[in-house]
């Protein structure tokens, strides 16, 4: 699936070359920012880009410190934000920013991070399917959940396709307002809904779409 090739999706999926052990995954959306936590340096660390192959021999600096003065590579100028806790953020993300990064503390390699640059969630809609509802969207999601009449749907036997399709019995018992909720890699929720209304003979049929909402 194309989305899984673009970005690691939590819940057991891993991208080839993703970190393991003491390495750490970090996530950002195209055009937005990602945070590079510096967890183990007692003072400000130096940040290097290792590329997609984790090649330490050809690393290029992103940011390094000389006394109290920081030096930023031209490629990252105006995109780097440094914080009092030693962490760094990189804004305006592109696919080329994805790959391995390394924090050096006191001139020694210390922490390795892998940045996944992901597609943002857009165009969330709920569409009728042959036997229920389908949550349609573009972008990379961490999870998809459903609510009926503002109550969580917890019967996962009714869901398929990474929870994007929800079986809705057509006997009138499950008429109501359904919403799907899509969580992106920055832990922001995107939602849309569709009402199943009761008609004659105790059957449901799709009603009017609810407005799409980004929470």
């Amino acid at each position: 699936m194309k989305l899984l090739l673009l970005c690691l999706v939590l819940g057991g999926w891993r991208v080839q070359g993703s970190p393991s052990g003491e390495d750490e995954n970090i996530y950002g959306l195209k055009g937005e920012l990602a945070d590079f936590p510096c967890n183990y340096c007692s003072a400000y660390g130096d940040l290097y880009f290792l590329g997609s192959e984790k090649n330490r021999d050809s690393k290029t600096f992103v940011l390094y410190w000389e006394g109290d003065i920081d030096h930023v590579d031209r490629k990252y100028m105006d995109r780097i934000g440094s914080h009092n806790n030693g962490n760094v953020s990189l804004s305006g993300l592109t696919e080329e920013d994805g790959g391995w990064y390394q924090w050096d503390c006191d001139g020694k390699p210390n922490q390795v991070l892998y940045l996944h640059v992901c597609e943002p969630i857009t165009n969330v809609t709920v569409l009728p399917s042959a036997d229920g509802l389908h949550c349609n969207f573009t972008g990379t999601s961490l999870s998809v959940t459903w609510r009926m009449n503002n109550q969580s749907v917890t019967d996962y036997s009714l869901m398929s396709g990474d929870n994007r399709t929800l079986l809705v019995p057509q006997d009138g018992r499950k008429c109501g307002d359904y919403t799907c909720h899509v969580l992106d890699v920055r832990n922001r929720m995107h939602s849309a809904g569709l009402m199943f209304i009761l008609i004659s003979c105790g059957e449901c049929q799709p009603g009017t779409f609810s407005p799409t909402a980004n929470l």
Side-chain angles (χ1 to χ4, degrees), residues 93-206:
L93 293 177
T94 67
E95 286 187 17
E96 289 73 24
D97 293 319
W100 295 92
Y101 291 80
Q102 176 179 293
W103 279 111
D104 286 6
C105 299
D106 299 322
K108 298 179 181 179
N110 183 271
Q111 182 183 5
V112 179
L113 308 166
Y114 191 94
L115 171 62
H116 303 268
V117 179
C118 304
E119 296 286 346
I121 298 294
T122 58
N123 302 320
V124 182
T125 54
V126 177
L127 304 174
S129 64
D131 50 6
L133 298 172
H134 181 72
C135 188
N136 191 54
F137 59 88
T138 59
T140 307
S141 66
L142 293 182
S143 67
V144 177
T145 55
W146 289 88
R147 298 179 73 87
M148 174 193 172
N149 296 332
N150 210 31
Q151 299 294 317
S152 295
V153 178
T154 57
D155 187 352
Y156 293 99
S157 67
L158 300 176
M159 304 177 200
S160 60
D162 296 328
N163 294 351
R164 294 180 67 163
T165 298
L166 177 68
L167 174 65
V168 179
Q170 301 294 301
D171 57 6
R173 294 175 300 156
K174 297 295 184 180
C175 295
D177 191 7
Y178 286 85
T179 54
C180 75
H181 301 266
V182 184
L183 186 67
D184 70 19
V185 299
R186 298 290 291 181
N187 290 315
R188 293 179 300 200
M189 195 69 75
H190 307 257
S191 304
L194 177 64
M195 181 177 290
F196 261 71
I197 58 177
L198 184 66
I199 60 173
S200 59
C201 301
E203 296 182 354
C204 295
Q205 72 173 11

Side-chain angles (χ1 to χ4, degrees), residues 2-21:
K2 182 178 180 182
L3 296 180
L4 295 181
L5 295 176
L6 290 171
C7 175
L8 173 68
V9 179
L10 294 182
W13 294 94
R14 292 187 59 211
V15 172
Q16 183 178 0
S18 295
S20 60

